[in-house]
C-alpha cells in the first residue's frame, strides 16, 4: 500500500488557475538551433492572381491613393504608410487623391467610386467595421476597409506580409526590414475570427506605456472597435445609488436573514427598474458606448429569499436582470448590448432563455460548475447566449512576473489549441486579463493577437519563437535561445543566484559579439527583467529591517525602469507594498497613499541610463555563482519503466509526500480500456485545516482523450478523521493522470496494483502537482549520465544504487552529484527529503515509491531498451 502524506499548507488560488489554463505540449523554447522556421501559410492562390511591383531599386512604382473626401484619420494612415514604405524600400511614395482605379489605394470602400474589385462591406454593423479587402490588380494594390478600423487593419496586415513586426510595445521591439524589390500578389477578404479581441492590464500600468500599448494594439490588429463591457457592475451601481439603497434596504439581497450587499434583490421590480434606467442613462450620455454591463459583483452573497429562489439559481437571477435591461435597450438602442460573465456561482448555465442582446463571456477560471468548459459553453449557447471568453493570461499581483509562476508564457501551442477550441465551441468575443510584463509574457500576448484574428494558423506557434529570435537578435540568436531556455520550465527557473547567473551569462555573451544598437536596446530590456528577478529574490530572502531596505531598493528599481515594458512595476509596487503587512506598517501615511498610486515619495532620481542597465549584467556575471552542469529537457509522453528496471525489482517501497493541500497531480497507467482506480482519502482532524473545508474531489484525465476534459470524476463529502473511497474509470488505455483536489487530508492511499508517478516539473498539464517533498522515493539516472544536477528544497539524503550515501542536504540551493561508473542506467533513492520540491535538472524529473510504479519519458525507455 502506498501512502501519500500531506505536509504543507494551502496552495494559492491563482496558481491553480494559471496552470489549469495551460495545456500540455512541447515547449517551444527547447527546439534545436537547426529547426527550420515554418512560414505562416498564405491564403489559397486565386486563379489569375496579379503580381504588382510597388518599389524597385529605391524607386516607387505607384502612388498612395486616398479618396477625395478622405477622413483626417485616413490621411494620417497614408502618411504612416508612406513613411514605412520609405524605411523599407528607400523609395519616396507620393500621396494623391483618386477614385480607386489605380495606385496603392487606402481608405474605406464606399469612398472610392471606381474600384476594380470590391467586397460585401457592412460599415453600419459594429461587428463588421474592421473587415477589409487586400487585393492586387493590373493597376495597383487595394487596402480597402469596410470602415476606418478595416482600413487600418489592411495597412498593417500588408506591412506585416512584407516582414514588418511589432513584437512588444515600444520602438526597441519594432522590426522594419529592408526590401530592395517590393511586390504584392493578393486577393483576400479578411475578417477576424473573434470580433472582440481584448488583452487588458487588470492591475494597471504607468502612463508612459499607454501610447506604446495603443500603438501595439493597432499594429497587431487588436484595436477591435466591437467591445462588450462585462465587468462586475453591482458594486458600482450600489455606490452610485447609495442614498436610494440607504432609504430602501429591500433593494439589497437577503443574506443570512439580513438585507445587505454586494448582491441585489433581483426579484424586486423597483430594483430592476432602477438598474434598467441607469443602463439607459449611460447609453444616452455616451453615444459611442456599445454596451453596458449587468454582471454581478464578485464572490457570494446571493439572495436567499423565497422570491429569489422562485427565479432560480444565481445564473437565473443574473440573466433575469440582464434580460430585462437588454429588452429595454433594444427598444431605444437596437444596436447596443448588455454584457455579463459566466463566472463563479453564476457560471452554471441557466434554465431560462437568454435575451439575444445579452453577450455572455464564459470565464476559464473560477467557473463555479462541475461541467467541462465545452459543456458549460454549450449549456449557455443552448439558452440563446451570444458567447465570448473571459480568459486569464497573467495577474501581476499573484505571479509578480516570476518565471516559475508565468507558466503560460512557454505554452504557445497550448494557447493556440485553446483559442481554436473556444472558437469551435461558439465563442466570438475574447477578453484576456493580462499584465504589462512583456519581459516574460511578451510572446504569449503577441501570439494571442495573431491567433485571435485567425484561429487556423496551426503552424504559427511552431515557428514564432525562431522567427522572433532571428528578427530581433539575428547574429546573437543562439545566445538568446539559451536565455529563454533557462527561463523555460525544463530549465528549472528557481530564483537562486546560479539561475540568475545563467541569464546574465547569455546576455553578456550576446553583447560580447557587438550586435549593433538595435539589438543592444533589446538586450537592455531583457537585462531590466533579470535585474528585477535578482532584486525580488533579495527582498524575498530578507528579514526585519533588511527586508524593508530590500523592498525600497526593488520598488525604486521598478519605478526607474518604468519606461521599459519588461515588468508590471506599477502593479507590483501597489500590491506588494500593502500585501506585505510587515512593510505596510513601516510606511508613513503619506508614503502609503503614494504607493497605492504606484508612486515613490523617496525616489527622485531619473530613469536608468543604458550604461547603468548594462552594468547590472556585468556585475551579475562577476559576482553570482555559475552552474557547472547544463539542464536537460525530457518529454512528457510517459510509459512504464518496468522493461528497463528488471534488475531493480524487490527494492523496499518508499513514501512520496506532496506539497499542496489543495491540488496534487499523479501520473498513472492503464494497460487496457475500462481500467479502474480506487483512491482512499482520510480526512485530517486538525481544526485549523478543517476550518478551510473538506470535500475530496478526483478527476481522471487520459492522454489519448480527444476532448480537453477528464474522462471520469468522483467526489465525496467527508467528516474529520473519516476515510472515503473514490473510484474512477477510463475508457482509454495508456497514460493517465489523476488530480486530487478540494481536500485537506491526513493520508491518501493509492491502489497498489497501479503505477503512480509524480514529477518535479511545474509545467504539467491541467494542474499543479505536489512534487516529491517529505519523501523517500526513487528516480532514474539514464545511461551515460555523469552528473545529477538538481535544485534541493531543504534537507534529505541521496543514495546511489548500491545504498551508499552519495550526498546529504541541509539547505536550499543548486547541487551536483557525480555519477560513478556503473551507477548510471539505475535507480537512485531520495531519502527523507523535506522542505519542498526536489527539482531534477539533468535526469528525468519523475519519482515513484517503487520500480513497478515508475513511469518515464518514452524516449528514455526506448533508448535504454535498445541498449
Amino acid at each position: 500500500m502506498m501512502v501519500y502524506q500531506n505536509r504543507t499548507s494551502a496552495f494559492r488560488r491563482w496558481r491553480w488557475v494559471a496552470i489549469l489554463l495551460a495545456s500540455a505540449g512541447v515547449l517551444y523554447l527547447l527546439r534545436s538551433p537547426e529547426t527550420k522556421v515554418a512560414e505562416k501559410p498564405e491564403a489559397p492562390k486565386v486563379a489569375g492572381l496579379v503580381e504588382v511591383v510597388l518599389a524597385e531599386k529605391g524607386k516607387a512604382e505607384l502612388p498612395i491613393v486616398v479618396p477625395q473626401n478622405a477622413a483626417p484619420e485616413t490621411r494620417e494612415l497614408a502618411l504612416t504608410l508612406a513613411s514605412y514604405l520609405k524605411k523599407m524600400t528607400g523609395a519616396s511614395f507620393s500621396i494623391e487623391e483618386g477614385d480607386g482605379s489605380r495606385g496603392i489605394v487606402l481608405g474605406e470602400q464606399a469612398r472610392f467610386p471606381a474600384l476594380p474589385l470590391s467586397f460585401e462591406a457592412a460599415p453600419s454593423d459594429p461587428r463588421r467595421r474592421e473587415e477589409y479587402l487586400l487585393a492586387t490588380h493590373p493597376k495597383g494594390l487595394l487596402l480597402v476597409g469596410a470602415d476606418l478600423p478595416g482600413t487600418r487593419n489592411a495597412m498593417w496586415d500588408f506591412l506585416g506580409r512584407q516582414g514588418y513586426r511589432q513584437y512588444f510595445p515600444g520602438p526597441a521591439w519594432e522590426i522594419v526590414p529592408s526590401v530592395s524589390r517590393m511586390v504584392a500578389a493578393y486577393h483576400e477578404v479578411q475578417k477576424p475570427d473573434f470580433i472582440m479581441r481584448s488583452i487588458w492590464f487588470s492591475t494597471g500600468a504607468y502612463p508612459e506605456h499607454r501610447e506604446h500599448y495603443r500603438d501595439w494594439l493597432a499594429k497587431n490588429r487588436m484595436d477591435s472597435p466591437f467591445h462588450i463591457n462585462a465587468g462586475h457592475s453591482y458594486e458600482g451601481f450600489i455606490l452610485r445609488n447609495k442614498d436610494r439603497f440607504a432609504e430602501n434596504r429591500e433593494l439589497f439581497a437577503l443574506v443570512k436573514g439580513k438585507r445587505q450587499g454586494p448582491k441585489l434583490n433581483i426579484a424586486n421590480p423597483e430594483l430592476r427598474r432602477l438598474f434598467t434606467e441607469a443602463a439607459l442613462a449611460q447609453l444616452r450620455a455616451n453615444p459611442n458606448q456599445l454596451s453596458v454591463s449587468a454582471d454581478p459583483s464578485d464572490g457570494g452573497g446571493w439572495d436567499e429569499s423565497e422570491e429569489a429562489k422562485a427565479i432560480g439559481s444565481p445564473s437565473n437571477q443574473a440573466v433575469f436582470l440582464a434580460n430585462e435591461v437588454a429588452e429595454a435597450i433594444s427598444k431605444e438602442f437596437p444596436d447596443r448590448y448588455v454584457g455579463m460573465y459566466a463566472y463563479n456561482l453564476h457560471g452554471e448555465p441557466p434554465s431560462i432563455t437568454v435575451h439575444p442582446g445579452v453577450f455572455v463571456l464564459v470565464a476559464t477560471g473560477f467557473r463555479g460548475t462541475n461541467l467541462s468548459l465545452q459543456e458549460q459553453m454549450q449549456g449557455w449557447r443552448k439558452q440563446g447566449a451570444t458567447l465570448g471568453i473571459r480568459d486569464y493570461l497573467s495577474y501581476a499581483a499573484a505571479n509578480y512576473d516570476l518565471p516559475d509562476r508565468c507558466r503560460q508564457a512557454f505554452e504557445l501551442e497550448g494557447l493556440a489549441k485553446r483559442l481554436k477550441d473556444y472558437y469551435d465551441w461558439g465563442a466570438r468575443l475574447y477578453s484576456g486579463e493580462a499584465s504589462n510584463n512583456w519581459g516574460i509574457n511578451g510572446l504569449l500576448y503577441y501570439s494571442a493577437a495573431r491567433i485571435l484574428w485567425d484561429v487556423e494558423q496551426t503552424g504559427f506557434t511552431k515557428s514564432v519563437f525562431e522567427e522572433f529570435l532571428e528578427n530581433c537578435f539575428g547574429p546573437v540568436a543562439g545566445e538568446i535561445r539559451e536565455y529563454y531556455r533557462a527561463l523555460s520550465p525544463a530549465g528549472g527557473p528557481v530564483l537562486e543566484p546560479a539561475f540568475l547567473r545563467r541569464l546574465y551569462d547569455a546576455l553578456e555573451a550576446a553583447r560580447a559579439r557587438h550586435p549593433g544598437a538595435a539589438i543592444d536596446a533589446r538586450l537592455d530590456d531583457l537585462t531590466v527583467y533579470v535585474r528585477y528577478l535578482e532584486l525580488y529574490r533579495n527582498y524575498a530572502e530578507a528579514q526585519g529591517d533588511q527586508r524593508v531596505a530590500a523592498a525600497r531598493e526593488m520598488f525604486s528599481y521598478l519605478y526607474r525602469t518604468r519606461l521599459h515594458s519588461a515588468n508590471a512595476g506599477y502593479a507590483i509596487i501597489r500590491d506588494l507594498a500593502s500585501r506585505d503587512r510587515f512593510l505596510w506598517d513601516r510606511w508613513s501615511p503619506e508614503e502609503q497613499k503614494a504607493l497605492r498610486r504606484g508612486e515613490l515619495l523617496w525616489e527622485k532620481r531619473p530613469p536608468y541610463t543604458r550604461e547603468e542597465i548594462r552594468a547590472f549584467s556585468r556585475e551579475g556575471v562577476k559576482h553570482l555563482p555559475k552552474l557547472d552542469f547544463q539542464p536537460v529537457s525530457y518529454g512528457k509522453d510517459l510509459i512504464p519503466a518496468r522493461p528497463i528496471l528488471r534488475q531493480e525489482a524487490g527494492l523496499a517501497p518508499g513514501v512520496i509526500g506532496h506539497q499542496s493541500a489543495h491540488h496534487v497531480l499523479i501520473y498513472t497507467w492503464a494497460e487496457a480500456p475500462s481500467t479502474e482506480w480506487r483512491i482512499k482519502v482520510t480526512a485530517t482532524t486538525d481544526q485549523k485545516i478543517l476550518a478551510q473545508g473538506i470535500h475530496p474531489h478526483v478527476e481522471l484525465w487520459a492522454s489519448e482523450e480527444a476532448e480537453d476534459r477528464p474522462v471520469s470524476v468522483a467526489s465525496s463529502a467527508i467528516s474529520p478523521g473519516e476515510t472515503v473511497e473514490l473510484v474512477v474509470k477510463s475508457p482509454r488505455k495508456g497514460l493517465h493522470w489523476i488530480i486530487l483536489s478540494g481536500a485537506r487530508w491526513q493520508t491518501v492511499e493509492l491502489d497498489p496494483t497501479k503505477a503512480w508517478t509524480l514529477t518535479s516539473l511545474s509545467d504539467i498539464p491541467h494542474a499543479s502537482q505536489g512534487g516529491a517533498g517529505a519523501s523517500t522515493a526513487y528516480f532514474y539516472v539514464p545511461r551515460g549520465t555523469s552528473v545529477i544536477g538538481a535544485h534541493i528544497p531543504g534537507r534529505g539524503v541521496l543514495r546511489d544504487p548500491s545504498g551508499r550515501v552519495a550526498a546529504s542536504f541541509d539547505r536550499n540551493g543548486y547541487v551536483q552529484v557525480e555519477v560513478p561508473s556503473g551507477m548510471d542506467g539505475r535507480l537512485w533513492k531520495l531519502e527523507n527529503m523535506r522542505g519542498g520540491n526536489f527539482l531534477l535538472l539533468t535526469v528525468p524529473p519523475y519519482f515513484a515509491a517503487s520500480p513497478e510504479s515508475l513511469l518515464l519519458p518514452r524516449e528514455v525507455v526506448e533508448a535504454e531498451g535498445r541498449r
Side-chain angles (χ1 to χ4, degrees):
M1 183 75 67
M2 266 187 288
V3 179
Y4 286 65
Q5 295 180 313
N6 178 30
R7 297 289 185 184
T8 56
S9 59
F11 198 76
R12 287 188 177 181
R13 187 183 188 201
W14 68 267
R15 190 169 185 181
W16 164 246
V17 173
I19 302 178
L20 175 68
L21 300 178
S23 79
V26 178
L27 292 177
Y28 76 99
L29 294 179
L30 303 183
R31 58 204 314 114
S32 68
E34 293 75 28
T35 301
K36 182 177 177 59
V37 176
E39 298 294 335
K40 175 192 172 185
E42 290 287 340
K45 298 295 182 182
V46 178
L49 199 64
V50 176
E51 183 176 273
V52 176
V53 178
L54 305 179
E56 190 167 14
K57 297 180 180 179
K59 178 185 176 184
E61 300 294 335
L62 293 169
I64 296 171
V65 177
V66 297
Q68 292 182 347
N69 58 345
E73 294 88 347
T74 303
R75 296 183 186 277
E76 186 67 28
L77 286 176
L79 291 171
T80 300
L81 178 60
S83 172
Y84 276 108
L85 291 179
K86 183 174 179 60
K87 292 177 184 176
M88 295 167 72
T89 67
S92 296
F93 285 77
S94 63
I95 301 174
E96 304 174 1
E97 294 182 349
D99 59 8
S101 60
R102 62 177 293 275
I104 303 174
V105 178
L106 181 72
E108 299 98 309
Q109 177 172 275
R111 294 178 183 261
F112 291 106
L115 289 173
L117 299 168
S118 63
F119 72 107
E120 184 185 346
S124 61
D125 186 341
R127 291 166 291 191
R128 298 188 58 191
R129 292 179 58 210
E130 54 180 338
E131 298 173 5
Y132 59 91
L133 172 67
L134 186 65
T136 51
H137 60 97
K139 294 185 178 180
L141 166 67
L142 304 182
L143 306 176
V144 176
D147 203 351
L148 179 64
T151 301
R152 181 172 58 241
N153 287 339
M155 184 188 77
W156 291 116
D157 184 14
F158 161 68
L159 290 173
R161 293 170 190 240
Q162 296 293 330
Y164 177 84
R165 297 287 186 273
Q166 182 76 55
Y167 286 105
F168 309 157
W173 298 99
E174 181 180 56
I175 302 298
V176 183
S178 178
V179 181
S180 60
R181 185 173 188 266
M182 181 176 286
V183 298
Y186 316 116
H187 193 146
E188 303 174 24
V189 175
Q190 284 284 332
K191 303 178 181 182
D193 285 337
F194 284 84
I195 58 174
M196 170 179 158
R197 304 174 307 286
S198 176
I199 295 178
W200 48 281
F201 302 150
S202 61
T203 45
Y206 283 110
E208 291 87 345
H209 294 292
R210 292 171 188 166
E211 189 57 41
H212 285 163
Y213 185 56
R214 283 193 290 266
D215 180 64
W216 181 88
L217 291 172
K219 291 174 176 178
N220 287 282
R221 296 182 295 180
M222 282 290 288
D223 193 13
S224 52
F226 190 85
H227 186 87
I228 294 297
N229 178 14
H232 304 313
S233 67
Y234 289 7
E235 306 100 315
F237 173 71
I238 292 171
L239 184 62
R240 290 189 296 272
N241 295 275
K242 59 182 179 181
D243 292 340
R244 300 291 291 272
F245 277 84
E247 295 168 2
N248 185 3
R249 303 295 299 181
E250 291 298 314
L251 300 176
F252 284 111
L254 181 68
V255 183
K256 296 181 179 179
K258 182 180 179 181
R259 291 288 176 182
Q260 55 187 312
K263 294 295 190 297
L264 309 175
N265 180 3
I266 291 169
N268 187 325
E270 175 67 9
L271 180 282
R272 299 197 304 275
R273 184 185 65 80
L274 284 174
F275 199 97
T276 301
E277 287 180 353
L280 290 170
Q282 278 189 55
L283 297 178
R284 291 170 187 148
N286 301 282
N288 295 324
Q289 185 173 321
L290 186 66
S291 68
V292 294
S293 175
D295 188 64
S297 54
D298 205 349
W302 285 94
D303 200 320
E304 299 167 354
S305 68
E306 293 302 318
E307 297 83 358
K309 291 178 182 177
I311 296 174
S313 66
S315 298
N316 277 22
Q317 293 180 45
V319 169
F320 191 80
L321 177 59
N323 280 352
E324 190 161 317
V325 176
E327 180 61 24
I329 287 175
S330 68
K331 294 175 180 178
E332 187 173 344
F333 302 100
D335 57 349
R336 311 286 182 89
Y337 309 96
V338 174
M340 61 175 285
Y341 293 143
Y343 166 84
N344 204 344
L345 296 179
H346 63 285
E348 193 79 20
S351 61
I352 60 176
T353 301
V354 182
H355 190 283
V358 176
F359 286 74
V360 179
L361 275 62
V362 181
T364 55
F366 314 114
R367 295 172 46 238
T369 175
N370 288 326
L371 298 173
S372 70
L373 183 60
Q374 181 180 8
E375 290 170 335
Q376 184 185 14
M377 293 175 68
Q378 288 173 339
W380 279 93
R381 195 176 183 186
K382 182 180 179 181
Q383 295 303 107
T386 302
L387 291 184
I389 284 290
R390 196 276 195 223
D391 210 354
Y392 300 83
L393 296 174
S394 181
Y395 183 54
N399 60 44
Y400 298 129
D401 301 349
L402 305 179
D404 63 325
R405 300 184 187 180
C406 296
R407 306 293 6 126
Q408 292 191 81
F410 306 97
E411 290 287 359
L412 299 190
E413 291 185 51
L415 171 74
K417 180 184 182 303
R418 291 196 308 278
L419 296 182
K420 176 67 163 57
D421 284 344
Y422 301 156
Y423 180 84
D424 290 343
W425 298 340
R428 294 298 180 268
L429 301 93
Y430 180 87
S431 174
E433 182 176 0
S435 307
N436 193 34
N437 55 355
W438 300 79
I440 185 65
N441 277 333
L443 277 179
L444 179 74
Y445 303 151
Y446 173 76
S447 299
R450 293 282 297 266
I451 299 162
L452 287 168
W453 186 276
D454 179 7
V455 298
E456 298 294 343
Q457 295 185 81
T458 54
F460 168 71
T461 54
K462 295 180 181 179
S463 64
V464 62
F465 180 63
E466 292 300 321
E467 181 205 86
F468 167 76
L469 286 180
E470 182 59 34
N471 280 339
C472 291
F473 298 101
V476 295
E479 287 79 359
I480 303 308
R481 182 181 287 103
E482 291 304 311
Y483 171 92
Y484 280 102
R485 189 192 301 272
L487 283 177
S488 73
V494 181
L495 282 192
E496 292 286 348
F499 162 68
L500 300 168
R501 171 65 184 273
R502 287 181 65 195
L503 299 174
Y504 281 136
D505 278 344
L507 295 172
E508 283 301 286
R511 284 198 178 97
R513 298 183 61 185
H514 305 290
I519 295 176
D520 277 338
R522 294 169 201 138
L523 295 176
D524 290 347
D525 274 9
L526 301 187
T527 303
V528 166
Y529 175 65
V530 181
R531 175 59 177 168
Y532 159 70
L533 297 181
E534 187 177 4
L535 291 174
Y536 181 90
R537 181 184 184 278
N538 294 345
Y539 152 76
E541 295 287 319
Q543 300 295 326
D545 291 342
Q546 291 182 347
R547 187 175 184 86
V548 177
R552 282 182 177 269
E553 183 182 13
M554 178 176 66
F555 289 172
S556 289
Y557 176 82
L558 288 169
Y559 190 72
R560 293 182 66 195
T561 56
R562 67 189 182 278
L563 298 181
H564 301 263
S565 296
N567 299 107
Y570 177 80
I572 293 169
I573 290 173
R574 295 177 67 214
D575 185 80
L576 264 183
S578 58
R579 181 170 299 195
D580 187 330
R581 300 307 302 182
F582 181 83
L583 293 179
W584 186 251
D585 294 340
R586 282 154 179 78
W587 309 125
S588 69
E590 292 76 17
E591 286 177 324
Q592 290 177 349
K593 291 178 182 179
L595 287 165
R596 287 193 183 102
R597 302 189 302 268
E599 299 173 1
L600 309 179
L601 294 182
W602 68 79
E603 186 54 74
K604 305 298 182 183
R605 291 172 292 179
Y608 286 104
T609 65
R610 287 186 170 180
E611 182 52 38
E612 287 175 316
I613 290 171
R614 291 165 190 176
F616 292 136
S617 185
R618 292 194 299 270
E619 290 300 306
V621 169
K622 189 175 181 181
H623 297 295
L624 295 176
K626 184 179 178 65
L627 281 180
D628 293 326
F629 59 85
Q630 180 67 34
V632 180
S633 61
Y634 292 89
K636 291 175 281 189
D637 178 16
L638 306 184
I639 62 175
R642 291 189 302 269
I644 63 172
L645 298 178
R646 292 188 178 94
Q647 63 178 320
E648 310 288 4
L651 290 175
V655 176
I656 300 180
H658 58 80
Q659 289 180 288
S660 169
H662 276 197
H663 315 287
V664 60
L665 182 146
I666 313 172
Y667 286 105
T668 185
W669 184 265
E671 294 291 349
S674 300
T675 297
E676 189 174 83
W677 290 260
R678 295 180 177 272
I679 302 160
K680 291 183 179 180
V681 177
T682 301
T684 183
T685 56
D686 187 316
Q687 292 302 313
K688 290 183 179 180
I689 298 177
L690 290 174
Q692 303 176 48
I694 306 174
H695 193 82
H697 178 82
V698 170
E699 294 180 356
L700 177 69
W701 294 75
S703 179
E704 296 302 319
E705 176 63 20
E707 298 184 20
D708 187 28
R709 55 177 295 180
V711 295
S712 183
V713 175
S715 60
S716 174
I718 190 171
S719 301
E722 182 186 0
T723 298
V724 296
E725 185 175 68
L726 304 174
V727 181
V728 286
K729 187 175 181 178
S730 175
R732 307 288 184 183
K733 64 179 182 178
L735 179 63
H736 289 69
W737 51 91
I738 67 162
I739 300 173
L740 179 59
S741 61
R744 281 78 176 176
W745 49 79
Q746 184 67 33
T747 62
V748 178
E749 299 178 9
L750 302 173
D751 186 341
T753 66
K754 304 295 190 300
W756 300 102
T757 295
L758 279 83
T759 178
S760 61
L761 291 179
S762 58
D763 67 321
I764 59 177
H766 308 295
S768 177
Q769 79 297 348
S775 305
T776 293
Y778 297 95
F779 64 92
Y780 185 71
V781 176
R783 295 179 187 274
T785 303
S786 60
V787 172
I788 298 173
H791 180 270
I792 61 169
R795 295 174 295 157
V797 171
L798 177 63
R799 294 185 183 273
D800 68 20
S802 71
R804 181 183 65 87
V805 174
S808 295
F809 314 114
D810 60 2
R811 60 179 178 79
N812 294 346
Y814 286 97
V815 298
Q816 65 178 52
V817 177
E818 293 187 7
V819 178
S821 176
M823 295 297 167
D824 56 339
R826 302 287 302 277
L827 288 180
W828 287 54
K829 185 179 183 182
L830 283 171
E831 197 169 78
N832 296 322
M833 282 301 301
R834 295 177 181 273
N837 200 14
F838 192 96
L839 183 61
L840 295 172
L841 298 173
T842 61
V843 299
Y846 299 97
F847 301 86
S850 69
E852 294 76 19
S853 280
L854 186 62
L855 304 174
L856 288 174
R858 181 181 299 274
E859 72 270 19
V860 173
V861 176
E862 291 179 349
E864 302 288 82
R866 287 193 296 270
R867 291 180 178 180

